[in-house]
Amino acid sequence: MMAEPGEARRVVVIGSANADLVVRVQRRPLGGETIAGSRPVVTPGGKGANQATAAALLGADVAFLGCVGRDAHGDLLRSALADAGVDVELLAAVDVPTSVALIVLTPDGENSIIVADGANGALTPELLRQHETAWAEASLVVMQLEVPLESVALVAGECLRRGTRFLLNAAPAEVLDAEVLRACDPLVVNESEAAILLGVTGAATPSDMVAGLLRLGPASVVLTLGADGAVAGTAAGEWFEQLAEPVREVVDTTGAGDAFVGGLATVLGRGGGLADGLAAGARAAAVAVQASGAAASYAGMRGLR
C-alpha cells in the first residue's frame, strides 16, 4: 500500500524509547580502568523514539508505538515525543522500568553506547496484534532492533503479506530471518551492521555490500557511511549515491543515524523516491551532529524540508 507522491499519509514507527544517560570523557577507559567524567545528563533517546521525533519535526504525520515504564524517564519520553508532534496514543505504560542507554562521549563527538533493556522488552507480538490496524494500514512502517526480534518478525511478515511498505533499520546488528529481509523496502544499515548480516570479516566496498545485501532478498538497501554519506540500491537495478552535508563542527554524533532514518522515512511515507529520501536523510543528520544529545539535537529540523 503506497502513498501517492506528495500525499501526507501516516508513518508508524514501532520500536524503542530510552532515557539516554550521557557522560562526557576525555577518552574511553581501558579495561579495568576508572576515569573521571562530566556530570551526567539525561535526555530522551532510543532508536524508535528518535526516528519518530525526527520525522515529525520534518513534517511527517507520525505515530509511535512502543513501551515506557511508569516512571520519570517514561514521563520524559512521552512529553518529548508529544512536544515534537508525534502521536503518542499508542505509547504504552508498563510495569517495567523505562529502558536506559548509557552513552560515553569523547571530545571528537564520537560515542560508545550500552543499552540496558527494560520496557522495550514489553513490546511483544501480543501487544502489536492489539494495535494491528493502526500500523498495518500506514503508508510506511519503520522498525529497528532494540525490541524483541519476534515482534520485528511479526510486523515484517504482516507488512509483506498486506503490501505495506516496511523500513527496517537493522540496528543494533543481528542476523535476521529471510522473511524479515524480504519484507524490507528499504533495509537500512551501516557498514558494521552490513558485515554481520553478510557474515564477512574482511574489507568490502560499499557497492559490494549493497549488492550482497540485495541478494538476501530486500527490495531496496540503504548503506550509511557516516561522514562519507550513503549509497543505496534496489532489486530492480537502480543505484543511488548521497554525499554527507557539510557542517561547521561535529559536536555529537549520537542520534545522527536515527535522524537520517527519520528524514528518509518522511520522504518515503509520502510516496517519494529513494534519491530524495537519501538527500532528506543527509540534511537531517547534518543538523543532528551539530548539537548535543540524540533527539535533543533535532530542534533545528523544524521547518527543514
Side-chain angles (χ1 to χ4, degrees):
M1 180 168 55
M2 298 283 289
E4 293 299 322
E7 182 184 0
R9 292 183 54 199
R10 175 149 290 197
V11 173
V12 176
V13 179
I14 304 174
S16 56
N18 303 332
D20 287 351
L21 180 60
V22 184
V23 176
R24 293 180 177 271
V25 296
Q26 287 302 307
R27 60 176 178 81
R28 292 174 179 82
L30 302 174
E33 181 184 21
T34 300
I35 64 173
S38 68
R39 180 176 298 174
V41 176
V42 180
T43 62
K47 288 186 174 297
N50 290 345
Q51 292 167 10
T53 296
L57 291 173
L58 291 166
D61 177 12
V62 184
F64 179 66
L65 174 51
C67 296
V68 294
R70 304 178 192 276
D71 50 31
H73 287 159
D75 293 342
L76 169 70
L77 287 158
R78 187 180 299 276
S79 176
L81 284 160
D83 287 348
V86 178
D87 182 344
V88 294
E89 184 178 347
L90 302 176
L91 179 58
V94 297
D95 294 324
V96 180
T98 300
S99 298
V100 175
L102 309 174
I103 301 175
V104 175
L105 186 65
T106 50
D108 59 0
E110 290 297 325
N111 60 66
S112 297
I113 304 174
I114 300 171
V115 177
D117 194 22
N120 290 331
L123 188 63
T124 61
E126 292 74 21
L127 179 62
L128 290 167
R129 286 291 190 192
Q130 292 174 27
H131 301 291
E132 187 170 340
T133 301
W135 53 265
E137 296 181 357
S139 62
L140 176 70
V141 174
V142 179
M143 287 196 79
Q144 328 74 37
L145 302 181
E146 288 183 332
V147 296
L149 288 182
E150 58 266 30
S151 296
V152 178
L154 168 69
V155 174
E158 282 300 313
C159 286
L160 186 62
R161 184 178 70 83
R162 293 169 175 263
T164 302
R165 191 164 193 176
F166 179 66
L167 184 164
L168 177 64
N169 177 207
E174 293 277 0
V175 176
L176 298 171
D177 291 342
E179 183 173 287
V180 172
L181 291 167
R182 284 198 300 272
C184 298
D185 187 17
L187 170 70
V188 182
V189 289
N190 63 23
E191 290 175 283
S192 64
E193 293 152 2
I196 288 174
L197 284 171
L198 292 168
V200 300
T201 55
T205 67
S207 58
D208 286 343
M209 282 188 160
V210 171
L213 291 168
L214 286 169
R215 286 193 290 271
L216 298 179
S220 60
V221 170
V222 174
L223 179 66
T224 60
L225 304 170
D228 292 326
V231 295
T234 71
E238 298 171 295
W239 181 262
F240 307 94
E241 297 185 13
Q242 175 65 50
L243 295 176
E245 291 279 325
V247 299
R248 291 184 178 180
E249 180 186 11
V250 174
V251 174
D252 182 357
T253 59
T254 307
D258 296 332
F260 180 94
V261 172
L264 175 63
T266 299
V267 172
L268 298 183
R270 62 172 183 256
L274 265 184
D276 288 341
L278 295 178
R283 290 193 295 271
V287 171
V289 301
Q290 294 183 83
S292 296
S297 70
Y298 297 171
M301 294 181 196
R302 291 189 185 274
L304 183 67
R305 298 289 187 270

